[in-house]
Amino acid sequence: MNGGDRVAEVLARRGVPFLFTLCGGHISPILVAAKRRGIRVVDVRHEADAVFAADAVARMTGTPGVAVVTAGPGVTNTLTAIKNAQLAQSPVVLLGGATATLLKGRGALQDIDQLALLGPHVKEAVTVGAVRDLAPAVERAFETARSGVPGPVFVECPVDLLYDEALVRQWYGASATGGGLSGRALRFYLGRHADRLFRGADRRPPAPPVPASDPVPERSEVRRAAALFARAKRPVLVLGSQAMLRAREVGALAEAVAALGVPVYLAGGARGLLGAGHPLQMRHRRKEALKEADLVLLAGIPADFRLDYGRQVGRRTRLLSVNRSAADLTLNRKPELGVEADAGLFLADLVALGGDRGKGWAEWRETLRLRDAAREKEIDEQAKIPTEYVNPIHLC
């Protein structure tokens, strides 16, 4: 197995269905080995597309999406998409090619400081220095990308770690030309460096995947939340993208939301969770509802620009926030109860502890539904207004 095989073996063991790339010489062994193992290699037209596609796979499957890009401009082209994955808290593994370990900083093809560039925009950015460390680095990248607050991880894979050992030694041998003492010294140095690259490579086979551990809410926190809901007359639930991170459990999440019986506004990647026409889902005039509510639960969404930095929630409204990120729990607005946990697990525990209180909020739900219907009627009327060409509201 060459280095590309070792990387691809880790991907195969973790059930990666797709590998997104724009082919380059630095990374070809990974692509060849992945295809040989039945992983579909999708070659795109721009490296940003590769990361965007990996991000989409992560959101829909829960398995970290994987993109592989070549060194230098291949890595720099991913930056916008990597930042998007970081802000969206998507578990993405980015594998980047790099110049040979011995040539870094010497003006080699496409050699730049990639770790300094990617570091601020990923959970972790690492470079690999020996073949034996390739598989552990990629395994750790998967665990890091999924754990806690998910996000992208960058692993730099130098080209001389990915190709066959015989070929790499041939490269180094071709560099050691000349006779005399200096030639012998150079050949000795290059041979020793190659020995370090490949030493112990066969002693560390790829490890089996470790199950993801999602942050579980404390029982006492769930009890406090249940007590607040028991006293609430006008509660509102705002469900954000982070609640969808456990992609294989979205059915259970939808059941928990329905059982809770609270009027809900879906945001970001949570849109569509309840299907069309669900009686609990409200679509319009969210700002008014948050102002009038006596209890607001932000589940997997921070009080950022979408909520006017927390100002949409009334000052006298009791605020609950559930988020995997400790920073997002108190962003712009400190909640009465902040729970650092997975929002889906929290809602399931809340329903199990407090039962269905939906009957007590029927009048409040009806008020919000009537507002929704009135807004829909306004939109219908706007769609009927004649315009010079096609009325865009009518078209949509």
Side-chain angles (χ1 to χ4, degrees), residues 182-203:
S182 62
R184 290 196 298 274
L186 179 59
R187 284 191 289 274
F188 175 77
Y189 173 72
L190 293 176
R192 288 292 299 272
H193 183 76
D195 290 342
R196 286 194 294 270
L197 293 184
F198 294 98
R199 184 180 297 127
D202 293 326
R203 299 175 189 167

mmCIF file with all atom_site columns, all heavy atoms in Angstrom, residues 182-203:
data_model
loop_
_atom_site.group_PDB
_atom_site.id
_atom_site.type_symbol
_atom_site.label_atom_id
_atom_site.label_alt_id
_atom_site.label_comp_id
_atom_site.label_asym_id
_atom_site.label_entity_id
_atom_site.label_seq_id
_atom_site.pdbx_PDB_ins_code
_atom_site.Cartn_x
_atom_site.Cartn_y
_atom_site.Cartn_z
_atom_site.occupancy
_atom_site.B_iso_or_equiv
_atom_site.pdbx_formal_charge
_atom_site.auth_seq_id
_atom_site.auth_comp_id
_atom_site.auth_asym_id
_atom_site.auth_atom_id
_atom_site.pdbx_PDB_model_num
ATOM 1   N N   . SER A 1 182 ? 30.995 15.564 -1.585 1.00 0.00 ? 182 SER A N   1
ATOM 2   C CA  . SER A 1 182 ? 29.714 16.262 -1.498 1.00 0.00 ? 182 SER A CA  1
ATOM 3   C C   . SER A 1 182 ? 28.597 15.426 -2.119 1.00 0.00 ? 182 SER A C   1
ATOM 4   O O   . SER A 1 182 ? 27.476 15.388 -1.600 1.00 0.00 ? 182 SER A O   1
ATOM 5   C CB  . SER A 1 182 ? 29.799 17.623 -2.192 1.00 0.00 ? 182 SER A CB  1
ATOM 6   O OG  . SER A 1 182 ? 30.092 17.459 -3.575 1.00 0.00 ? 182 SER A OG  1
ATOM 7   N N   . GLY A 1 183 ? 28.868 14.731 -3.243 1.00 0.00 ? 183 GLY A N   1
ATOM 8   C CA  . GLY A 1 183 ? 27.853 13.883 -3.857 1.00 0.00 ? 183 GLY A CA  1
ATOM 9   C C   . GLY A 1 183 ? 27.468 12.730 -2.959 1.00 0.00 ? 183 GLY A C   1
ATOM 10  O O   . GLY A 1 183 ? 26.282 12.398 -2.835 1.00 0.00 ? 183 GLY A O   1
ATOM 11  N N   . ARG A 1 184 ? 28.487 12.103 -2.339 1.00 0.00 ? 184 ARG A N   1
ATOM 12  C CA  . ARG A 1 184 ? 28.187 10.983 -1.442 1.00 0.00 ? 184 ARG A CA  1
ATOM 13  C C   . ARG A 1 184 ? 27.396 11.459 -0.223 1.00 0.00 ? 184 ARG A C   1
ATOM 14  O O   . ARG A 1 184 ? 26.477 10.787 0.248  1.00 0.00 ? 184 ARG A O   1
ATOM 15  C CB  . ARG A 1 184 ? 29.488 10.305 -1.009 1.00 0.00 ? 184 ARG A CB  1
ATOM 16  C CG  . ARG A 1 184 ? 30.183 9.532  -2.126 1.00 0.00 ? 184 ARG A CG  1
ATOM 17  C CD  . ARG A 1 184 ? 31.231 8.572  -1.576 1.00 0.00 ? 184 ARG A CD  1
ATOM 18  N NE  . ARG A 1 184 ? 32.291 9.261  -0.860 1.00 0.00 ? 184 ARG A NE  1
ATOM 19  C CZ  . ARG A 1 184 ? 33.387 9.786  -1.418 1.00 0.00 ? 184 ARG A CZ  1
ATOM 20  N NH1 . ARG A 1 184 ? 33.541 9.687  -2.745 1.00 0.00 ? 184 ARG A NH1 1
ATOM 21  N NH2 . ARG A 1 184 ? 34.308 10.379 -0.700 1.00 0.00 ? 184 ARG A NH2 1
ATOM 22  N N   . ALA A 1 185 ? 27.765 12.622 0.288  1.00 0.00 ? 185 ALA A N   1
ATOM 23  C CA  . ALA A 1 185 ? 27.059 13.160 1.455  1.00 0.00 ? 185 ALA A CA  1
ATOM 24  C C   . ALA A 1 185 ? 25.604 13.459 1.119  1.00 0.00 ? 185 ALA A C   1
ATOM 25  O O   . ALA A 1 185 ? 24.690 13.190 1.911  1.00 0.00 ? 185 ALA A O   1
ATOM 26  C CB  . ALA A 1 185 ? 27.748 14.434 1.952  1.00 0.00 ? 185 ALA A CB  1
ATOM 27  N N   . LEU A 1 186 ? 25.364 14.011 -0.083 1.00 0.00 ? 186 LEU A N   1
ATOM 28  C CA  . LEU A 1 186 ? 23.994 14.315 -0.487 1.00 0.00 ? 186 LEU A CA  1
ATOM 29  C C   . LEU A 1 186 ? 23.174 13.038 -0.640 1.00 0.00 ? 186 LEU A C   1
ATOM 30  O O   . LEU A 1 186 ? 22.026 12.970 -0.195 1.00 0.00 ? 186 LEU A O   1
ATOM 31  C CB  . LEU A 1 186 ? 23.993 15.104 -1.794 1.00 0.00 ? 186 LEU A CB  1
ATOM 32  C CG  . LEU A 1 186 ? 22.625 15.472 -2.362 1.00 0.00 ? 186 LEU A CG  1
ATOM 33  C CD1 . LEU A 1 186 ? 21.831 16.310 -1.357 1.00 0.00 ? 186 LEU A CD1 1
ATOM 34  C CD2 . LEU A 1 186 ? 22.768 16.222 -3.684 1.00 0.00 ? 186 LEU A CD2 1
ATOM 35  N N   . ARG A 1 187 ? 23.791 12.010 -1.276 1.00 0.00 ? 187 ARG A N   1
ATOM 36  C CA  . ARG A 1 187 ? 23.063 10.737 -1.432 1.00 0.00 ? 187 ARG A CA  1
ATOM 37  C C   . ARG A 1 187 ? 22.747 10.115 -0.078 1.00 0.00 ? 187 ARG A C   1
ATOM 38  O O   . ARG A 1 187 ? 21.659 9.566  0.137  1.00 0.00 ? 187 ARG A O   1
ATOM 39  C CB  . ARG A 1 187 ? 23.882 9.779  -2.293 1.00 0.00 ? 187 ARG A CB  1
ATOM 40  C CG  . ARG A 1 187 ? 23.841 10.107 -3.778 1.00 0.00 ? 187 ARG A CG  1
ATOM 41  C CD  . ARG A 1 187 ? 24.453 8.985  -4.615 1.00 0.00 ? 187 ARG A CD  1
ATOM 42  N NE  . ARG A 1 187 ? 25.892 8.929  -4.441 1.00 0.00 ? 187 ARG A NE  1
ATOM 43  C CZ  . ARG A 1 187 ? 26.775 9.659  -5.137 1.00 0.00 ? 187 ARG A CZ  1
ATOM 44  N NH1 . ARG A 1 187 ? 26.323 10.524 -6.047 1.00 0.00 ? 187 ARG A NH1 1
ATOM 45  N NH2 . ARG A 1 187 ? 28.073 9.550  -4.937 1.00 0.00 ? 187 ARG A NH2 1
ATOM 46  N N   . PHE A 1 188 ? 23.678 10.211 0.849  1.00 0.00 ? 188 PHE A N   1
ATOM 47  C CA  . PHE A 1 188 ? 23.444 9.671  2.193  1.00 0.00 ? 188 PHE A CA  1
ATOM 48  C C   . PHE A 1 188 ? 22.297 10.427 2.871  1.00 0.00 ? 188 PHE A C   1
ATOM 49  O O   . PHE A 1 188 ? 21.397 9.819  3.471  1.00 0.00 ? 188 PHE A O   1
ATOM 50  C CB  . PHE A 1 188 ? 24.725 9.784  3.023  1.00 0.00 ? 188 PHE A CB  1
ATOM 51  C CG  . PHE A 1 188 ? 24.559 9.365  4.457  1.00 0.00 ? 188 PHE A CG  1
ATOM 52  C CD1 . PHE A 1 188 ? 24.507 8.014  4.796  1.00 0.00 ? 188 PHE A CD1 1
ATOM 53  C CD2 . PHE A 1 188 ? 24.428 10.319 5.469  1.00 0.00 ? 188 PHE A CD2 1
ATOM 54  C CE1 . PHE A 1 188 ? 24.345 7.632  6.118  1.00 0.00 ? 188 PHE A CE1 1
ATOM 55  C CE2 . PHE A 1 188 ? 24.263 9.937  6.783  1.00 0.00 ? 188 PHE A CE2 1
ATOM 56  C CZ  . PHE A 1 188 ? 24.213 8.591  7.111  1.00 0.00 ? 188 PHE A CZ  1
ATOM 57  N N   . TYR A 1 189 ? 22.318 11.749 2.761  1.00 0.00 ? 189 TYR A N   1
ATOM 58  C CA  . TYR A 1 189 ? 21.283 12.563 3.405  1.00 0.00 ? 189 TYR A CA  1
ATOM 59  C C   . TYR A 1 189 ? 19.907 12.261 2.820  1.00 0.00 ? 189 TYR A C   1
ATOM 60  O O   . TYR A 1 189 ? 18.920 12.070 3.565  1.00 0.00 ? 189 TYR A O   1
ATOM 61  C CB  . TYR A 1 189 ? 21.612 14.044 3.220  1.00 0.00 ? 189 TYR A CB  1
ATOM 62  C CG  . TYR A 1 189 ? 20.528 14.979 3.710  1.00 0.00 ? 189 TYR A CG  1
ATOM 63  C CD1 . TYR A 1 189 ? 20.286 15.148 5.069  1.00 0.00 ? 189 TYR A CD1 1
ATOM 64  C CD2 . TYR A 1 189 ? 19.731 15.672 2.798  1.00 0.00 ? 189 TYR A CD2 1
ATOM 65  C CE1 . TYR A 1 189 ? 19.293 16.003 5.520  1.00 0.00 ? 189 TYR A CE1 1
ATOM 66  C CE2 . TYR A 1 189 ? 18.724 16.525 3.236  1.00 0.00 ? 189 TYR A CE2 1
ATOM 67  C CZ  . TYR A 1 189 ? 18.504 16.686 4.596  1.00 0.00 ? 189 TYR A CZ  1
ATOM 68  O OH  . TYR A 1 189 ? 17.518 17.509 5.039  1.00 0.00 ? 189 TYR A OH  1
ATOM 69  N N   . LEU A 1 190 ? 19.819 12.190 1.496  1.00 0.00 ? 190 LEU A N   1
ATOM 70  C CA  . LEU A 1 190 ? 18.530 11.918 0.854  1.00 0.00 ? 190 LEU A CA  1
ATOM 71  C C   . LEU A 1 190 ? 18.039 10.510 1.178  1.00 0.00 ? 190 LEU A C   1
ATOM 72  O O   . LEU A 1 190 ? 16.837 10.284 1.362  1.00 0.00 ? 190 LEU A O   1
ATOM 73  C CB  . LEU A 1 190 ? 18.650 12.105 -0.656 1.00 0.00 ? 190 LEU A CB  1
ATOM 74  C CG  . LEU A 1 190 ? 18.908 13.537 -1.130 1.00 0.00 ? 190 LEU A CG  1
ATOM 75  C CD1 . LEU A 1 190 ? 19.099 13.572 -2.652 1.00 0.00 ? 190 LEU A CD1 1
ATOM 76  C CD2 . LEU A 1 190 ? 17.766 14.453 -0.732 1.00 0.00 ? 190 LEU A CD2 1
ATOM 77  N N   . GLY A 1 191 ? 18.952 9.557  1.250  1.00 0.00 ? 191 GLY A N   1
ATOM 78  C CA  . GLY A 1 191 ? 18.559 8.196  1.603  1.00 0.00 ? 191 GLY A CA  1
ATOM 79  C C   . GLY A 1 191 ? 18.030 8.108  3.019  1.00 0.00 ? 191 GLY A C   1
ATOM 80  O O   . GLY A 1 191 ? 17.018 7.429  3.279  1.00 0.00 ? 191 GLY A O   1
ATOM 81  N N   . ARG A 1 192 ? 18.699 8.805  3.939  1.00 0.00 ? 192 ARG A N   1
ATOM 82  C CA  . ARG A 1 192 ? 18.230 8.812  5.325  1.00 0.00 ? 192 ARG A CA  1
ATOM 83  C C   . ARG A 1 192 ? 16.862 9.479  5.426  1.00 0.00 ? 192 ARG A C   1
ATOM 84  O O   . ARG A 1 192 ? 15.993 9.037  6.192  1.00 0.00 ? 192 ARG A O   1
ATOM 85  C CB  . ARG A 1 192 ? 19.235 9.558  6.215  1.00 0.00 ? 192 ARG A CB  1
ATOM 86  C CG  . ARG A 1 192 ? 20.514 8.808  6.462  1.00 0.00 ? 192 ARG A CG  1
ATOM 87  C CD  . ARG A 1 192 ? 20.282 7.557  7.316  1.00 0.00 ? 192 ARG A CD  1
ATOM 88  N NE  . ARG A 1 192 ? 19.740 7.884  8.612  1.00 0.00 ? 192 ARG A NE  1
ATOM 89  C CZ  . ARG A 1 192 ? 20.474 8.181  9.677  1.00 0.00 ? 192 ARG A CZ  1
ATOM 90  N NH1 . ARG A 1 192 ? 21.799 8.196  9.586  1.00 0.00 ? 192 ARG A NH1 1
ATOM 91  N NH2 . ARG A 1 192 ? 19.900 8.447  10.837 1.00 0.00 ? 192 ARG A NH2 1
ATOM 92  N N   . HIS A 1 193 ? 16.647 10.551 4.661  1.00 0.00 ? 193 HIS A N   1
ATOM 93  C CA  . HIS A 1 193 ? 15.345 11.225 4.694  1.00 0.00 ? 193 HIS A CA  1
ATOM 94  C C   . HIS A 1 193 ? 14.245 10.300 4.184  1.00 0.00 ? 193 HIS A C   1
ATOM 95  O O   . HIS A 1 193 ? 13.160 10.214 4.779  1.00 0.00 ? 193 HIS A O   1
ATOM 96  C CB  . HIS A 1 193 ? 15.393 12.501 3.844  1.00 0.00 ? 193 HIS A CB  1
ATOM 97  C CG  . HIS A 1 193 ? 14.113 13.284 3.885  1.00 0.00 ? 193 HIS A CG  1
ATOM 98  N ND1 . HIS A 1 193 ? 13.751 14.060 4.962  1.00 0.00 ? 193 HIS A ND1 1
ATOM 99  C CD2 . HIS A 1 193 ? 13.080 13.372 2.992  1.00 0.00 ? 193 HIS A CD2 1
ATOM 100 C CE1 . HIS A 1 193 ? 12.573 14.606 4.734  1.00 0.00 ? 193 HIS A CE1 1
ATOM 101 N NE2 . HIS A 1 193 ? 12.148 14.215 3.542  1.00 0.00 ? 193 HIS A NE2 1
ATOM 102 N N   . ALA A 1 194 ? 14.515 9.580  3.095  1.00 0.00 ? 194 ALA A N   1
ATOM 103 C CA  . ALA A 1 194 ? 13.528 8.625  2.569  1.00 0.00 ? 194 ALA A CA  1
ATOM 104 C C   . ALA A 1 194 ? 13.255 7.525  3.590  1.00 0.00 ? 194 ALA A C   1
ATOM 105 O O   . ALA A 1 194 ? 12.108 7.073  3.736  1.00 0.00 ? 194 ALA A O   1
ATOM 106 C CB  . ALA A 1 194 ? 14.013 8.039  1.251  1.00 0.00 ? 194 ALA A CB  1
ATOM 107 N N   . ASP A 1 195 ? 14.297 7.082  4.292  1.00 0.00 ? 195 ASP A N   1
ATOM 108 C CA  . ASP A 1 195 ? 14.103 6.057  5.323  1.00 0.00 ? 195 ASP A CA  1
ATOM 109 C C   . ASP A 1 195 ? 13.124 6.554  6.390  1.00 0.00 ? 195 ASP A C   1
ATOM 110 O O   . ASP A 1 195 ? 12.240 5.818  6.841  1.00 0.00 ? 195 ASP A O   1
ATOM 111 C CB  . ASP A 1 195 ? 15.439 5.707  5.984  1.00 0.00 ? 195 ASP A CB  1
ATOM 112 C CG  . ASP A 1 195 ? 16.372 4.952  5.052  1.00 0.00 ? 195 ASP A CG  1
ATOM 113 O OD1 . ASP A 1 195 ? 15.868 4.405  4.041  1.00 0.00 ? 195 ASP A OD1 1
ATOM 114 O OD2 . ASP A 1 195 ? 17.583 4.937  5.315  1.00 0.00 ? 195 ASP A OD2 1
ATOM 115 N N   . ARG A 1 196 ? 13.286 7.817  6.806  1.00 0.00 ? 196 ARG A N   1
ATOM 116 C CA  . ARG A 1 196 ? 12.389 8.369  7.826  1.00 0.00 ? 196 ARG A CA  1
ATOM 117 C C   . ARG A 1 196 ? 10.952 8.475  7.312  1.00 0.00 ? 196 ARG A C   1
ATOM 118 O O   . ARG A 1 196 ? 9.996  8.279  8.081  1.00 0.00 ? 196 ARG A O   1
ATOM 119 C CB  . ARG A 1 196 ? 12.898 9.750  8.263  1.00 0.00 ? 196 ARG A CB  1
ATOM 120 C CG  . ARG A 1 196 ? 14.134 9.701  9.147  1.00 0.00 ? 196 ARG A CG  1
ATOM 121 C CD  . ARG A 1 196 ? 14.381 11.036 9.823  1.00 0.00 ? 196 ARG A CD  1
ATOM 122 N NE  . ARG A 1 196 ? 14.728 12.065 8.851  1.00 0.00 ? 196 ARG A NE  1
ATOM 123 C CZ  . ARG A 1 196 ? 15.976 12.340 8.463  1.00 0.00 ? 196 ARG A CZ  1
ATOM 124 N NH1 . ARG A 1 196 ? 16.992 11.644 8.960  1.00 0.00 ? 196 ARG A NH1 1
ATOM 125 N NH2 . ARG A 1 196 ? 16.198 13.305 7.594  1.00 0.00 ? 196 ARG A NH2 1
ATOM 126 N N   . LEU A 1 197 ? 10.788 8.789  6.034  1.00 0.00 ? 197 LEU A N   1
ATOM 127 C CA  . LEU A 1 197 ? 9.443  8.907  5.472  1.00 0.00 ? 197 LEU A CA  1
ATOM 128 C C   . LEU A 1 197 ? 8.684  7.590  5.534  1.00 0.00 ? 197 LEU A C   1
ATOM 129 O O   . LEU A 1 197 ? 7.486  7.566  5.814  1.00 0.00 ? 197 LEU A O   1
ATOM 130 C CB  . LEU A 1 197 ? 9.504  9.386  4.016  1.00 0.00 ? 197 LEU A CB  1
ATOM 131 C CG  . LEU A 1 197 ? 9.997  10.804 3.745  1.00 0.00 ? 197 LEU A CG  1
ATOM 132 C CD1 . LEU A 1 197 ? 9.886  11.103 2.254  1.00 0.00 ? 197 LEU A CD1 1
ATOM 133 C CD2 . LEU A 1 197 ? 9.207  11.820 4.540  1.00 0.00 ? 197 LEU A CD2 1
ATOM 134 N N   . PHE A 1 198 ? 9.379  6.478  5.256  1.00 0.00 ? 198 PHE A N   1
ATOM 135 C CA  . PHE A 1 198 ? 8.699  5.193  5.093  1.00 0.00 ? 198 PHE A CA  1
ATOM 136 C C   . PHE A 1 198 ? 8.878  4.246  6.279  1.00 0.00 ? 198 PHE A C   1
ATOM 137 O O   . PHE A 1 198 ? 8.268  3.176  6.296  1.00 0.00 ? 198 PHE A O   1
ATOM 138 C CB  . PHE A 1 198 ? 9.189  4.510  3.811  1.00 0.00 ? 198 PHE A CB  1
ATOM 139 C CG  . PHE A 1 198 ? 8.791  5.247  2.557  1.00 0.00 ? 198 PHE A CG  1
ATOM 140 C CD1 . PHE A 1 198 ? 9.681  6.099  1.930  1.00 0.00 ? 198 PHE A CD1 1
ATOM 141 C CD2 . PHE A 1 198 ? 7.514  5.117  2.040  1.00 0.00 ? 198 PHE A CD2 1
ATOM 142 C CE1 . PHE A 1 198 ? 9.311  6.795  0.789  1.00 0.00 ? 198 PHE A CE1 1
ATOM 143 C CE2 . PHE A 1 198 ? 7.137  5.809  0.904  1.00 0.00 ? 198 PHE A CE2 1
ATOM 144 C CZ  . PHE A 1 198 ? 8.039  6.661  0.275  1.00 0.00 ? 198 PHE A CZ  1
ATOM 145 N N   . ARG A 1 199 ? 9.677  4.631  7.257  1.00 0.00 ? 199 ARG A N   1
ATOM 146 C CA  . ARG A 1 199 ? 9.933  3.743  8.396  1.00 0.00 ? 199 ARG A CA  1
ATOM 147 C C   . ARG A 1 199 ? 8.639  3.482  9.178  1.00 0.00 ? 199 ARG A C   1
ATOM 148 O O   . ARG A 1 199 ? 7.889  4.394  9.513  1.00 0.00 ? 199 ARG A O   1
ATOM 149 C CB  . ARG A 1 199 ? 10.973 4.361  9.333  1.00 0.00 ? 199 ARG A CB  1
ATOM 150 C CG  . ARG A 1 199 ? 11.369 3.435  10.501 1.00 0.00 ? 199 ARG A CG  1
ATOM 151 C CD  . ARG A 1 199 ? 12.401 4.105  11.386 1.00 0.00 ? 199 ARG A CD  1
ATOM 152 N NE  . ARG A 1 199 ? 13.627 4.359  10.647 1.00 0.00 ? 199 ARG A NE  1
ATOM 153 C CZ  . ARG A 1 199 ? 14.211 5.555  10.568 1.00 0.00 ? 199 ARG A CZ  1
ATOM 154 N NH1 . ARG A 1 199 ? 13.670 6.599  11.172 1.00 0.00 ? 199 ARG A NH1 1
ATOM 155 N NH2 . ARG A 1 199 ? 15.329 5.707  9.896  1.00 0.00 ? 199 ARG A NH2 1
ATOM 156 N N   . GLY A 1 200 ? 8.362  2.209  9.454  1.00 0.00 ? 200 GLY A N   1
ATOM 157 C CA  . GLY A 1 200 ? 7.221  1.828  10.281 1.00 0.00 ? 200 GLY A CA  1
ATOM 158 C C   . GLY A 1 200 ? 5.869  1.980  9.610  1.00 0.00 ? 200 GLY A C   1
ATOM 159 O O   . GLY A 1 200 ? 4.833  1.902  10.286 1.00 0.00 ? 200 GLY A O   1
ATOM 160 N N   . ALA A 1 201 ? 5.849  2.170  8.302  1.00 0.00 ? 201 ALA A N   1
ATOM 161 C CA  . ALA A 1 201 ? 4.572  2.414  7.613  1.00 0.00 ? 201 ALA A CA  1
ATOM 162 C C   . ALA A 1 201 ? 3.613  1.228  7.728  1.00 0.00 ? 201 ALA A C   1
ATOM 163 O O   . ALA A 1 201 ? 2.395  1.407  7.813  1.00 0.00 ? 201 ALA A O   1
ATOM 164 C CB  . ALA A 1 201 ? 4.821  2.741  6.148  1.00 0.00 ? 201 ALA A CB  1
ATOM 165 N N   . ASP A 1 202 ? 4.141  0.013  7.751  1.00 0.00 ? 202 ASP A N   1
ATOM 166 C CA  . ASP A 1 202 ? 3.274  -1.173 7.765  1.00 0.00 ? 202 ASP A CA  1
ATOM 167 C C   . ASP A 1 202 ? 2.879  -1.605 9.175  1.00 0.00 ? 202 ASP A C   1
ATOM 168 O O   . ASP A 1 202 ? 2.132  -2.570 9.335  1.00 0.00 ? 202 ASP A O   1
ATOM 169 C CB  . ASP A 1 202 ? 3.979  -2.338 7.062  1.00 0.00 ? 202 ASP A CB  1
ATOM 170 C CG  . ASP A 1 202 ? 4.160  -2.069 5.580  1.00 0.00 ? 202 ASP A CG  1
ATOM 171 O OD1 . ASP A 1 202 ? 3.275  -1.411 4.994  1.00 0.00 ? 202 ASP A OD1 1
ATOM 172 O OD2 . ASP A 1 202 ? 5.182  -2.497 5.016  1.00 0.00 ? 202 ASP A OD2 1
ATOM 173 N N   . ARG A 1 203 ? 3.349  -0.911 10.187 1.00 0.00 ? 203 ARG A N   1
ATOM 174 C CA  . ARG A 1 203 ? 3.033  -1.304 11.562 1.00 0.00 ? 203 ARG A CA  1
ATOM 175 C C   . ARG A 1 203 ? 1.731  -0.695 12.062 1.00 0.00 ? 203 ARG A C   1
ATOM 176 O O   . ARG A 1 203 ? 1.274  -1.032 13.150 1.00 0.00 ? 203 ARG A O   1
ATOM 177 C CB  . ARG A 1 203 ? 4.177  -0.877 12.503 1.00 0.00 ? 203 ARG A CB  1
ATOM 178 C CG  . ARG A 1 203 ? 5.511  -1.519 12.182 1.00 0.00 ? 203 ARG A CG  1
ATOM 179 C CD  . ARG A 1 203 ? 6.596  -0.950 13.076 1.00 0.00 ? 203 ARG A CD  1
ATOM 180 N NE  . ARG A 1 203 ? 7.929  -1.380 12.654 1.00 0.00 ? 203 ARG A NE  1
ATOM 181 C CZ  . ARG A 1 203 ? 9.046  -0.848 13.091 1.00 0.00 ? 203 ARG A CZ  1
ATOM 182 N NH1 . ARG A 1 203 ? 8.994  0.128  13.999 1.00 0.00 ? 203 ARG A NH1 1
ATOM 183 N NH2 . ARG A 1 203 ? 10.217 -1.258 12.660 1.00 0.00 ? 203 ARG A NH2 1
#
